[in-house]
Amino acid sequence: MFYFIPDLKKVKDMFKQFYFVLVMGAALACHAATPKPVKVPGSNNLEPTAQQSIVCKTVAQFITTYNYKKVELNDSLSTVIFNRYLKSLDENHNYLLASDVADFDKFKTILDDDIKDGNLNDVFYMFNVFQKRYEERIKYSIAQLDKTFDFTKDETFTYDRDKLPFAASINDQNADWSKRVKYDLLNLMLASPDVAKNKETLKKRYETLLKQTSQLESFDVFQGFMDAFTEAIDPHTNYFNPFNAAQFTMEMTRQLEGIGATLQVKNEYVTIQSLVQGGPADKSHQVSVGDRILAVAQGKDGEFQDIIGWRIDNAIKLIRGTKGTLVKLKLLPQGKTAGDKPAIVEIIRDKIVLKDQLAKEEIRTYNSNGKTIKIGIINVPAFYSDYNGSKTGDANYHTTTRDVKLILDTLKSKGVNGVVIDLREDGGGSLAEAISLSGLFIKTGPVVQVRDIQNKIESDDDDDPSVAYAGPMAILVDRFSASASEIFSGAMQDYGRALIIGTQTYGKGSVQTQIDLDKVITPSVVEKFSNMIGGGNKVAGTRGAGGKNVSTGSESTFGQLNLTIAKFYRITGNSTQHRGVMPDITFPSMIPLDKYGEDTEPSAMPFDMIPKSNYTKVGDFTTVIPQLKAITYTLCREKIDVKLKLSRLYRVIT
């Protein structure tokens, strides 16, 4: 993805204006109390929190005021949101009844009003009905395993039901689910004929599904609905709940603050899967792979919170935290039993650099007409930037450009004859990194153009005349190369600086800004809104196995909004939106282009053009591209012919 941080003063001014509107709106709304949520017997009756209500209202005002598409939140959009949300609940029409969907229909044109008011009761009602039906189906499936199945009968089971209507009755569902259980069992029997063992395997699978749905919390429901809401606007305006916001920051910066351990759940225990070499847990010499974490406490005097049976994301929330803070773990070492005394380990959290997710290089050697050719390959997984490290003066902070520059220096010292930048599956990242990375390969000049919500066009240029590498270069792309990857590869193609090889890229040409909602929503606003909706001071938090709210070691309170505020264009004036970057040399795609890409998104913006920038090409592949295409075609045909010959040979000898 691609994110752009606008001028700080503009953002602060925007926040001030928005906060005034928000407070005034909340004050005016205080006279209209939100009705109590409708209970759904047989479900967990999850309810929205005050934070979620105010976040919904806040996000709605940001989107309707500042989103690039200038979308109005009305009945028409409400229908789109409704359909997306319903699809996210039961896309395959396996669980809900036709009567349930008919009941939901009354919400179709009022979700827009609910969103504006921060009223999430209807949304949670829909989910609770779904959860009730889901549990009914899984429990029915478990009961079916006590029966004897006749596999000699001629029956048909339709696995993909998204084009079929919702079931008209419970009896209709039972008939279909009886076949589904039989289908699941038959699949297991293809690997093993032991019916009793296969039934036990299937029972455990179904029981796991029941446990997973019982562990769902209000923030899961809220995140699902907000996805339906924001993606109805455009595919890249997104709300991230606090945990997802932390994950996003980690992906953007390639670092986190914590103990340096990867966790997994095994038999109800949160278990150490691996340790980051040199991280706090590793350096403590008191934590080992396979150890089970029974409880977590914050600080020297913090109370231990039992995490047995917890979801992994909730456990991570407690264990991560700010650099320099202390976390205590109650550990049951590998090989010990539940009756053994656990060890208490104190660890000071620190900054953890995810080195395996940084740019890296390799050199491949080829023989061409008796001459040895060395090609340096640089894998760029994302356009990342540790902006906090940069601000605080960390001499070893990581950005894509800094890391690639060091790699280029290494490759040049080893005498490579050419460089390949591998951007396959690179979904993008920082605008600044796309520009500065381009600057490593050209002297000066425009890299990308940006048009904002007011239709103002600005050119983002490379002003540094130094060039890190001037030799032959190619760039590998695929369908999942997106956004910043498309800016960089498009600029290199437009300048004639590199040959682009691969498949058509994703086609994301929009610009997002990251809005930390903790800096927008104040506690006083939440308290007023909480009283308005009749929720007292109920707040969202991590919930343990017993359902109690617990304190977390990190994360924000309200989450983050990534808001589409502009569109970017190549220096030729063409947008990458919808179309992406077309390679000079096209390879067959392993990724179905009609299933993935911006042009498959219903809410995506269209392709358009603006005037081109003033730039001078530094190279031209026009005369050699036809020759290279012919060579590529021949090589691909030879590879296909070899596979066909091997296939025929196999059929002959068998």
Side-chain angles (χ1 to χ4, degrees):
M1 302 179 75
F2 172 59
Y3 298 92
F4 168 69
I5 310 300
D7 178 77
L8 186 59
K9 184 178 184 302
K10 291 181 181 177
V11 173
K12 288 181 177 178
D13 290 343
M14 180 175 75
F15 282 175
K16 287 177 182 177
Q17 295 169 17
F18 179 77
Y19 179 73
F20 176 77
V21 171
L22 180 64
V23 173
M24 291 300 295
L28 291 172
C30 281
H31 298 290
T34 302
K36 294 286 186 181
V38 177
K39 300 291 184 180
V40 178
S43 76
N44 289 346
N45 279 311
L46 296 175
E47 296 181 10
T49 65
Q51 283 101 320
Q52 290 159 1
S53 296
I54 198 69
V55 164
C56 180
K57 190 179 179 75
T58 303
V59 168
Q61 293 197 34
F62 263 117
I63 286 176
T64 54
T65 307
Y66 299 109
N67 186 271
Y68 184 80
K69 287 178 71 175
K70 305 178 180 70
V71 174
E72 183 182 354
L73 195 52
N74 54 24
D75 288 354
S76 176
L77 186 59
S78 178
T79 301
V80 175
I81 297 169
F82 173 86
N83 290 335
R84 277 183 171 268
Y85 184 52
L86 180 61
K87 184 177 180 180
S88 73
L89 293 177
D90 191 7
E91 181 174 6
N92 211 36
H93 299 186
N94 284 323
Y95 305 100
L96 293 169
L97 295 171
S99 56
D100 297 327
V101 178
D103 177 37
F104 297 160
D105 203 56
K106 60 179 177 283
F107 305 134
K108 187 174 286 186
T109 57
I110 67 170
L111 286 183
D112 57 320
D113 300 313
D114 286 347
I115 291 169
K116 293 173 186 175
D117 295 338
N119 177 11
L120 295 165
N121 288 342
D122 296 337
V123 169
F124 274 72
Y125 172 77
M126 289 177 66
F127 174 82
N128 288 332
V129 171
F130 165 75
Q131 187 181 56
K132 172 188 175 182
R133 298 301 186 197
Y134 182 89
E135 291 193 5
E136 288 174 349
R137 290 300 93 212
I138 304 304
K139 289 176 180 177
Y140 177 83
S141 300
I142 292 173
Q144 294 304 295
L145 293 173
D146 293 331
K147 297 182 178 180
T148 301
F149 292 92
D150 181 2
F151 293 106
T152 65
K153 291 175 65 176
D154 187 10
E155 293 178 299
T156 301
F157 171 67
T158 304
Y159 187 82
D160 294 318
R161 299 190 72 259
D162 58 313
K163 299 294 191 295
L164 299 177
F166 289 93
S169 67
I170 293 288
N171 288 337
D172 288 344
Q173 274 193 335
N174 287 345
D176 189 64
W177 275 82
S178 294
K179 292 180 181 179
R180 182 188 179 111
V181 174
K182 191 173 181 180
Y183 171 81
D184 287 344
L185 186 59
L186 186 59
N187 274 318
L188 291 176
M189 292 182 65
L190 293 175
S192 169
D194 190 332
V195 176
K197 184 178 179 181
N198 290 333
K199 282 188 174 183
E200 187 61 30
T201 299
L202 207 51
K203 183 179 180 181
K204 289 180 180 178
R205 181 191 299 176
Y206 293 153
E207 287 173 343
T208 298
L209 293 176
L210 275 180
K211 180 183 177 182
Q212 288 173 345
T213 190
S214 71
Q215 290 184 318
L216 290 174
E217 302 181 30
S218 65
F219 66 80
D220 296 303
V221 183
F222 182 59
Q223 182 68 68
F225 175 68
M226 293 301 285
D227 287 344
F229 166 35
T230 59
E231 290 172 15
I233 308 298
D234 76 78
H236 308 291
T237 287
N238 303 114
Y239 167 73
F240 295 145
N241 65 34
F243 180 78
N244 291 341
Q247 292 295 105
F248 174 85
T249 300
M250 182 180 72
E251 291 174 7
M252 284 290 290
T253 62
R254 278 348 196 218
Q255 59 96 13
L256 58 86
E257 293 182 350
I259 67 170
T262 304
L263 308 178
Q264 62 178 339
V265 174
K266 278 188 176 181
N267 301 321
E268 303 292 313
Y269 289 104
V270 175
T271 306
I272 304 291
Q273 184 179 22
S274 65
L275 297 175
V276 176
Q277 186 175 3
D282 179 46
K283 289 194 292 187
S284 75
H285 302 296
Q286 299 180 77
V287 182
S288 301
V289 172
D291 289 354
R292 289 151 289 175
I293 304 175
L294 307 183
V296 182
Q298 309 299 327
K300 277 276 187 187
D301 303 319
E303 181 182 348
F304 272 107
Q305 296 166 9
D306 191 306
I307 64 169
I308 297 174
W310 275 32
R311 285 169 36 162
I312 193 71
D313 55 341
N314 285 342
I316 289 172
K317 292 175 186 178
L318 289 185
I319 296 168
R320 283 185 190 163
T322 306
K323 174 182 176 181
T325 59
L326 185 145
V327 61
K328 290 192 297 185
L329 306 180
K330 189 179 290 185
L331 293 178
L332 189 62
Q334 186 177 25
K336 299 291 186 179
T337 65
D340 291 321
K341 184 179 180 179
I344 306 298
V345 177
E346 296 184 354
I347 300 175
I348 302 296
R349 300 177 176 106
D350 202 351
K351 178 178 176 179
I352 311 296
V353 177
L354 305 175
K355 294 181 180 179
D356 60 329
Q357 298 180 29
L358 303 176
K360 53 182 64 71
E361 82 279 2
E362 65 172 304
I363 295 177
R364 294 190 183 181
T365 303
Y366 302 91
N367 188 284
S368 177
N369 298 322
K371 183 181 178 182
T372 299
I373 303 295
K374 293 165 67 175
I375 302 297
I377 301 172
I378 305 176
N379 177 262
V380 179
F383 285 74
Y384 52 86
S385 176
D386 178 8
Y387 31 80
N388 286 331
S390 173
K391 286 181 180 179
T392 57
D394 183 350
N396 298 314
Y397 77 95
H398 289 272
T399 70
T400 298
T401 305
R402 280 168 61 96
D403 292 348
V404 170
K405 171 67 167 59
L406 291 173
I407 290 172
L408 287 170
D409 291 342
T410 299
L411 294 177
K412 287 190 296 184
S413 70
K414 293 182 178 180
V416 296
N417 302 100
V419 167
V420 174
I421 307 289
D422 190 349
L423 297 180
R424 290 174 298 174
E425 298 188 22
D426 182 335
S430 164
L431 164 68
E433 288 305 303
I435 297 167
S436 59
L437 186 67
S438 299
L440 296 182
F441 306 101
I442 60 173
K443 286 187 176 181
T444 57
V447 173
V448 64
Q449 301 184 85
V450 178
R451 181 165 66 185
D452 65 18
I453 191 172
Q454 297 175 328
N455 288 321
K456 294 179 180 177
I457 299 172
E458 290 187 4
S459 176
D460 289 316
D461 300 359
D462 166 44
D463 298 320
D464 184 354
S466 64
V467 175
Y469 177 74
M473 184 168 72
I475 298 173
L476 282 176
V477 296
D478 66 7
R479 189 58 160 171
F480 293 135
S481 303
S483 204
S485 289
E486 293 172 299
I487 290 177
F488 173 69
S489 57
M492 295 300 97
Q493 187 179 54
D494 294 338
Y495 275 103
R497 179 62 190 86
L499 198 67
I500 313 300
I501 301 171
T503 62
Q504 180 185 10
T505 61
Y506 194 86
K508 178 183 178 292
S510 57
V511 182
Q512 286 71 41
T513 187
Q514 303 162 32
I515 300 171
D516 181 354
L517 295 178
D518 282 20
K519 296 180 179 178
V520 181
I521 304 171
T522 66
S524 61
V525 172
V526 178
E527 186 177 353
K528 290 177 183 177
F529 196 80
S530 179
N531 293 329
M532 182 189 78
I533 65 174
N537 287 319
K538 182 170 58 180
V539 298
T542 299
R543 297 177 68 83
K548 295 182 179 180
N549 284 347
V550 296
S551 62
T552 60
S554 61
E555 298 184 9
S556 61
T557 300
F558 301 109
Q560 173 179 306
L561 173 65
N562 287 358
L563 182 67
T564 299
I565 58 168
K567 202 170 177 181
F568 68 78
Y569 298 82
R570 294 170 65 162
I571 54 179
T572 59
N574 286 323
S575 172
T576 59
Q577 180 65 21
H578 249 258
R579 295 187 181 181
V581 175
M582 296 302 298
D584 301 307
I585 307 295
T586 301
F587 285 170
S589 177
M590 300 295 292
I591 304 165
L593 302 184
D594 60 337
K595 300 290 185 183
Y596 301 96
E598 191 81 1
D599 55 0
T600 67
E601 296 284 353
S603 61
M605 293 185 286
F607 169 86
D608 63 348
M609 299 177 64
I610 62 173
K612 75 172 188 174
S613 299
N614 183 21
Y615 70 99
T616 303
K617 295 188 71 168
V618 297
D620 192 346
F621 295 102
T622 304
T623 57
V624 299
I625 284 177
Q627 301 172 50
L628 294 173
K629 284 183 176 180
I631 294 171
T632 303
Y633 176 79
T634 301
L635 290 173
C636 288
R637 288 297 306 171
E638 287 176 355
K639 192 170 185 178
I640 293 170
D641 288 343
V642 168
K643 288 185 177 181
L644 286 173
K645 289 174 183 176
L646 288 174
S647 176
R648 289 168 186 161
L649 177 61
Y650 176 77
R651 289 199 297 269
V652 169
I653 63 177
T654 56

